Amino acid sequence: MPDDTTRRAFLGALLGGGVGAAALSPAGGLLDSFAPLSGRTWESTRGEVPDTVASQYGEATVTYDDYHIPHVEADSEKAAYFAVGYAQAADRLFGMDLIRRLMDGRLSAAVGEQTVESDIFHAKMDFRGAAEASRDALAGTRVEAVTEAYADGVNAYIETGPEPLESTLAGYDIDEWTVGDSLLVGTQISWGLTGSFETLRRAVLRDRLDTADYRRLYEQPFDHDAPIIREGTSGEVQGVDGFPASPAAERVDASLVDWLAAHEPPAWWGSNHWAVGGDHTESGSPILAYDPHLTLMVPPVWYEQRITVANEDVDVRGAGFPGIPFVIVGENQHGAWGFTNTGADVVDHYTYETDGDQYRYDGEWRDFETETRTIEVSGGEDREIEVRKTVHGAFIDREIDGETRHVGVAWTGMSGTRESEAIYEFSKTEGVDDYREALQKMDVPTQNALYVDDEQIYYKVTGKIPIRRQDGEIIDGNRVFDGSAGEGEWDGFEPFGQSDWAGGEFIPFEEKPGVVDPDYIGTANQRIVDDPTYPIGFEYASGFRGMRVYERLDDRIESGEPVDSEFMASVQRDTLDIRARKLVPAILDVRDQIDDAADPWLDALAEWDYRMDRDSAAALVFHHFYEAFQGATWGDDFEELGLDDGWWPQEWVLTELPPDDDFFDGDRAAVIAEAMETAVENIDAEGWSVYGDYHRTTIDHQFSGQVPSLNYPRYPTDGSAFTLFNTRDGLSAGSSWRQISSVGEPSRSILPGGQSGSVFSEHYDDQLEMWADGEYKAMAFETPDSDDTIEFGGDGE
């Protein structure tokens, strides 16, 4: 094995960018002491997964189909979920282990000094305490029992199966799995989708920008007419009334914001889903299309599985996150469902008057709730830190430039939550009524939930959203509150305990925005509705994807031509970029100011249909023009403010700025000409001809510095971050799962890679090229006729 120092350097590089980050820089030279693909290290990872496994829960069978999707069948739930745990561990154990270590603040015990700051942050946030509160909320439930069976299945694999390649190379021991670990993975998902320090960033921007500039760049609602719930939406519309404006935010220290941002979840990518009702479909039943936009990584974020439990009348298929037993998104024999991010504000921040071990609250000095925790550091000096909490939640303090800065953090996911129960119950739903009942237990994360059965569509904002009041008035949460004065408190919230979700001040389920049985509806992270009854949030996508969804759906419905699965697939593959539709005419208007070297590219733009297709020269030049246009518009001004490109306004703002705006120095034409010339220079230097020369599936393994063969192949593909066929620039993120479901008809899905995390498997990347080409595989509810099986047996309970 490599020496301890090399192992730590390797894992430090792996994890330094955060688990799931796409742009990692593995330490070179780790494998210098190994003969490539030979020796004990490699042999131990290539062993066969046993085809028979003892199970104390009774008989079960896992049968793998042509794409290595496990079809799990058993008479009892416990036997089924034991088998699910074993199957997930066989394919994804290393990633499961990294996530729990990350969230628990225990990376440095394996990595060393590189991740101490990450461990300090995660320990101070006490995500493990939040998961334990959820464990208490689940005590005695059926969900707890089947999750225990799942954990036993994971541990059976740890004891009997081949070790993951990555842990063997790194000398990394994987401990047994627990129910709390599954809940910790769930906490990671919820924090990754809703955790944000955007309020703190907004406070810094308010402080540094002119008031008028701040308001027009960050506070003006995007003036498109395609919110999720539009004026005139059919069906029963809920949660629409309007609310008062909120007060201004307080000032905060920018250096603390920078430190927190280093440990914040990855950028909010977004997602799409839409549904069309049976009155407009060829089959007479609703159809759902869904694709969540998350990190693209090796192996993929999602894991597909089918679970059949004869005694419970359960037959569910879809995708979940490794480490969690249940299908999270997918379908059963009665309906189909998916989720997109709402952008809801479920995190608040507080400042306090402090004095040593005390903070001032409600007119008196109180002791922090304090725990001393040791951060173990492999090969280095262990750290002892104080984990402090207030009545509001976590207390994050750091010494920066010789001075201690702090902020209190309240997050709905810090309390005991029941999303595991909701997800478990989705598999058993027999229609909209069952789904609505289960959805009320989905306390975190806040999501746009969309469901179809064979008769109707149901859309609802879900998750616990606090109601904030100031002097009796309802306010937004987009400010930093004075915790010592008791501002911005969430009545009924019990951090790291059991909150009074029903009696406290949280938006009632029926008063959250929603629509029962619309003709059709689409979500793409745009604002939810123009006048919600209560404030939901203040951070939404620019709206380009949402506009395009409704353009395609409106046109089809108005044409009278029925909708079928192939039409839904064509919308999911749609590559029209509305940014281009807004900006290309402005480029062509200033053609006479642009160097003649750009003429061939300008000709391509003049004939372009604004689609970001791989064989398009215009798509290539527009992409690079837009990057240069952003930099030329915002770069100098924000640099003077001491802020990098992470602080720039959203794309809608840039496309709508008046041509004589001060950020263009009063001359947008000159900025456009400069950006176009820069784009052409960059393209010519690289020798690219069409978009696909640049835009390829660069989805790399974290160990690529040592073993380049672990990387996925490069395939040209279409789309952009702002098209429905979603492939973020550099392909660090995009459509992480595509699903088209029509109850009673064959459904389809695809992953950006493969099911198996083992490079030795033929299913390592067998779906990637189809994903890049916008193709699908079947989501069948039939057990395949296959010899690739695992039999589980033993004494049943």
Side-chain angles (χ1 to χ4, degrees):
M1 297 304 297
D3 65 52
D4 203 42
T5 302
T6 304
R7 175 173 62 86
R8 292 196 308 274
F10 170 60
L11 284 174
L14 167 66
L15 297 164
V19 172
L24 301 173
S25 302
L30 173 71
L31 301 182
D32 287 348
S33 60
F34 297 95
L37 298 178
S38 64
R40 180 180 61 82
T41 298
W42 298 96
E43 291 301 322
S44 67
T45 68
R46 299 186 69 180
E48 295 293 328
V49 174
D51 56 13
T52 60
V53 177
S55 168
Q56 66 268 44
Y57 297 104
E59 295 182 354
T61 303
V62 174
T63 307
Y64 292 95
D65 66 17
D66 291 342
Y67 291 97
H68 197 65
I69 313 303
H71 293 246
V72 180
E73 296 177 290
D75 288 338
S76 76
E77 285 189 308
K78 291 183 180 181
Y81 282 106
F82 179 94
V84 170
Y86 195 94
Q88 285 191 11
D91 288 320
R92 303 292 186 86
L93 180 60
F94 186 63
M96 291 161 56
D97 188 61
L98 289 184
I99 289 174
R100 66 173 170 176
R101 280 187 171 271
L102 171 74
M103 294 301 286
D104 201 16
R106 296 189 298 115
L107 288 177
S108 301
V111 175
E113 296 286 345
Q114 294 92 333
T115 55
V116 166
E117 291 297 307
S118 172
D119 281 348
I120 290 172
F121 170 78
H122 287 86
K124 284 181 176 289
M125 287 290 292
D126 196 16
F127 291 114
R128 171 65 72 174
E132 289 172 352
S134 293
R135 176 70 189 270
D136 291 342
L138 293 175
T141 66
R142 188 66 177 171
V143 171
E144 181 186 44
V146 297
T147 306
E148 285 175 344
Y150 167 87
D152 287 339
V154 174
N155 291 328
Y157 180 82
I158 292 173
E159 294 172 4
T160 65
E163 297 176 61
L165 169 65
E166 296 91 337
S167 62
T168 305
L169 291 177
Y172 185 96
D173 294 328
I174 296 180
D175 300 328
E176 72 172 18
W177 196 263
T178 69
V179 172
D181 291 329
S182 287
L183 296 175
L184 192 58
V185 172
T187 302
Q188 188 270 339
I189 295 163
S190 296
W191 176 251
L193 292 171
T194 63
S196 172
F197 297 112
E198 181 62 23
T199 297
L200 301 180
R201 274 190 291 274
R202 293 290 181 97
V204 172
L205 288 163
R206 281 187 178 97
D207 184 47
R208 298 192 182 186
L209 280 167
D210 174 86
T211 299
D213 283 341
Y214 173 79
R215 287 176 176 169
R216 68 194 183 91
L217 296 183
Y218 296 97
E219 284 197 334
Q220 297 297 321
F222 304 137
D223 58 352
H224 61 76
D225 58 357
I228 293 172
I229 302 176
R230 301 183 294 178
E231 185 176 349
T233 294
S234 62
E236 177 190 337
V237 177
Q238 303 168 337
V240 178
D241 272 328
F243 59 89
S246 63
E250 302 294 332
R251 295 182 61 178
V252 298
D253 187 89
S255 60
L256 179 61
V257 179
D258 288 339
W259 184 80
L260 291 168
H263 309 292
E264 201 172 17
W268 176 50
W269 305 122
S271 300
N272 303 324
H273 60 12
W274 54 91
V276 177
D279 287 347
H280 302 287
T281 65
E282 189 172 66
S283 67
S285 294
I287 304 178
L288 169 73
Y290 174 51
D291 61 301
H293 308 159
L294 299 170
T295 301
L296 301 181
M297 55 190 291
V298 180
V301 169
W302 296 97
Y303 184 81
E304 187 175 358
Q305 58 194 24
R306 177 184 171 220
I307 304 167
T308 304
V309 184
N311 292 346
E312 298 287 337
D313 194 26
V314 169
D315 193 359
V316 61
R317 178 168 181 166
F321 293 106
I324 294 177
F326 312 115
V327 168
I328 297 175
V329 298
E331 62 183 24
N332 63 15
Q333 300 287 0
H334 305 283
W337 59 93
F339 301 95
T340 64
N341 236 357
T342 62
D345 181 11
V346 295
V347 180
D348 272 352
H349 307 86
Y350 303 87
T351 59
Y352 303 92
E353 185 181 353
T354 62
D355 185 6
D357 295 330
Q358 294 187 313
Y359 68 102
R360 192 165 182 82
Y361 171 73
D362 197 22
E364 63 181 18
W365 289 97
R366 295 195 178 194
D367 293 333
F368 288 104
E369 181 183 337
T370 303
E371 173 194 355
T372 300
R373 191 174 297 189
T374 299
I375 304 293
E376 295 183 25
V377 183
S378 180
E381 183 179 351
D382 293 350
R383 311 289 206 278
E384 283 197 352
I385 65 167
E386 297 296 312
V387 177
R388 295 180 171 185
K389 299 172 184 175
T390 73
V391 295
H392 302 111
F395 182 83
I396 311 297
D397 57 334
R398 292 297 291 148
E399 184 174 313
I400 300 173
D401 298 330
E403 184 177 346
T404 299
R405 278 69 180 259
H406 76 260
V407 66
V409 182
W411 170 52
T412 50
M414 283 175 176
S415 188
T417 56
R418 304 165 297 164
E419 64 280 358
S420 295
E421 285 192 85
I423 295 165
Y424 164 76
E425 291 177 9
F426 292 159
S427 66
K428 300 185 173 188
T429 57
E430 296 184 3
V432 165
D433 290 342
D434 289 344
Y435 180 79
R436 183 188 295 113
E437 183 175 350
L439 197 63
Q440 295 182 55
K441 297 178 182 178
M442 194 166 174
D443 300 325
V444 293
T446 43
Q447 298 282 279
N448 296 303
L450 189 57
Y451 178 88
V452 302
D453 62 15
D454 59 357
E455 293 184 353
Q456 62 178 310
I457 298 168
Y458 178 62
Y459 162 74
K460 191 69 176 177
V461 170
T462 189
K464 301 305 182 188
I465 304 173
I467 299 172
R468 295 112 167 154
R469 296 184 188 274
Q470 190 73 21
D471 299 326
E473 296 291 332
I474 295 174
I475 60 171
D476 274 320
N478 62 344
R479 59 170 295 180
V480 180
F481 294 106
D482 184 343
S484 291
E487 290 183 350
E489 295 188 314
W490 305 351
D491 184 38
F493 181 62
E494 183 65 35
F496 307 103
Q498 304 307 309
S499 294
D500 182 3
W501 297 123
E505 283 234 275
F506 299 89
I507 301 176
F509 183 80
E510 293 302 332
E511 295 188 52
K512 295 170 191 168
V515 187
V516 179
D517 202 24
D519 286 342
Y520 57 100
I521 194 166
T523 91
N525 314 113
Q526 75 270 45
R527 70 182 183 275
I528 298 165
V529 65
D530 287 334
D531 294 302
T533 303
Y534 295 95
I536 302 296
F538 55 88
E539 187 180 12
Y540 299 108
S542 286
F544 299 120
R545 288 179 289 113
M547 292 172 64
R548 187 58 181 163
V549 166
Y550 275 125
E551 286 179 358
R552 291 294 308 272
L553 296 180
D554 289 345
D555 287 349
R556 183 71 167 209
I557 301 304
E558 290 170 7
S559 75
E561 187 176 353
V563 169
D564 56 15
S565 292
E566 189 51 46
F567 170 76
M568 299 293 267
S570 77
V571 180
Q572 213 164 57
R573 290 191 290 255
D574 190 280
T575 61
L576 190 141
D577 195 323
I578 291 178
R579 295 175 307 157
R581 196 166 67 190
K582 287 176 171 287
L583 290 174
V584 167
I587 297 172
L588 297 175
D589 282 347
V590 301
R591 179 169 187 158
D592 60 348
Q593 300 182 41
I594 301 172
D595 189 271
D596 291 347
D599 280 351
W601 301 101
L602 292 165
D603 289 342
L605 288 176
E607 299 173 358
W608 190 31
D609 59 3
Y610 310 129
R611 297 182 183 275
M612 301 296 287
D613 293 338
R614 69 190 72 181
D615 59 356
S616 169
L620 174 67
V621 75
F622 177 76
H623 169 81
H624 290 281
F625 158 80
Y626 189 81
E627 286 191 339
F629 185 52
Q630 282 183 300
T633 303
W634 307 123
D636 290 345
D637 295 283
F638 277 76
E639 186 176 344
E640 289 179 6
L641 298 172
L643 303 174
D644 62 22
D645 58 4
W647 300 78
W648 293 353
Q650 288 199 49
E651 282 71 14
W652 183 273
V653 176
L654 179 58
T655 61
E656 298 298 309
L657 277 183
D660 60 351
D661 195 272
D662 287 345
F663 283 97
F664 294 132
D665 294 329
D667 188 358
R668 186 178 70 167
V671 175
I672 288 174
E674 174 191 343
M676 190 65 189
E677 290 170 1
T678 298
V680 171
E681 290 173 5
N682 292 339
I683 291 169
D684 288 346
E686 295 291 344
W688 295 318
S689 298
V690 294
Y691 190 43
D693 295 339
Y694 159 81
H695 195 63
R696 305 173 75 85
T697 57
T698 51
I699 307 173
D700 291 348
H701 193 281
Q702 295 96 327
F703 289 19
S704 61
Q706 292 75 38
V707 191
S709 60
L710 294 178
N711 292 340
Y712 281 166
R714 268 57 165 156
Y715 298 116
T717 189
D718 306 318
S720 76
F722 305 97
T723 61
L724 297 179
F725 191 88
N726 198 262
T727 50
R728 201 167 183 89
D729 302 338
L731 270 77
S732 59
S735 297
S736 59
W737 159 262
R738 297 192 187 112
Q739 169 190 341
I740 298 175
S741 293
S742 178
V743 179
E745 290 190 321
S747 298
R748 295 183 279 180
S749 65
I750 199 73
L751 283 171
Q755 278 279 102
S756 176
S758 172
V759 70
F760 304 116
S761 170
E762 63 182 305
H763 304 292
Y764 186 62
D765 59 14
D766 57 337
Q767 298 180 51
L768 179 62
E769 189 169 12
M770 292 192 299
W771 175 88
D773 290 342
E775 299 175 358
Y776 303 83
K777 59 176 180 51
M779 286 181 69
F781 278 89
E782 298 175 357
T783 302
D785 183 11
S786 170
D787 294 330
D788 189 2
T789 63
I790 306 175
E791 299 287 341
F792 296 84
D795 295 331
E797 294 191 338

